[in-house]
Amino acid sequence: MFKSNRIPKIGLLLLLFAFAYLASLILLGQERAMDWGLSGDEMYLHEKLLSLAVAGGAIATWFLGMYRAHVQGSWRWFIACMFAWPIAFVYTLAVNTGPEA
């Protein structure tokens, strides 16, 4: 059976892209990004949309990790994914690579 991990892969890719984008702003000397963060009034529209996409990917992976742990009956992974969203990426990409719902 084909095992798909599109949701966590896209979420992780978006997270890495946002980090690389912020690093490139710093390398280009953008004063608004020198503190390694952009607030709402410092962001352009495309940066706000990117941050929403990153948050959406992380939340989708978080729910997917909890769902897969629940289906497998693994309450330890379920609780771990519930309280630490980065663990959901580890769980969905390395531990339980089952098909998506």
Side-chain angles (χ1 to χ4, degrees), residues 40-54:
D41 55 336
E42 294 175 332
M43 297 172 76
Y44 297 122
L45 178 63
H46 69 277
E47 294 165 343
K48 290 179 182 180
L49 293 174
L50 177 62
S51 67
L52 287 174
V54 169

Side-chain angles (χ1 to χ4, degrees), residues 72-91:
Q72 292 296 317
S74 178
W75 293 105
R76 289 181 181 168
W77 278 108
F78 181 82
I79 298 297
C81 289
M82 182 187 302
F83 290 110
W85 65 266
I87 293 176
F89 281 99
V90 174
Y91 183 68

Side-chain angles (χ1 to χ4, degrees), residues 2 9 16 25 36 44-45 65 67 96:
F2 178 72
K9 286 179 182 176
L16 293 175
L25 288 179
W36 278 94
Y44 297 122
L45 178 63
Y67 172 75
N96 185 342

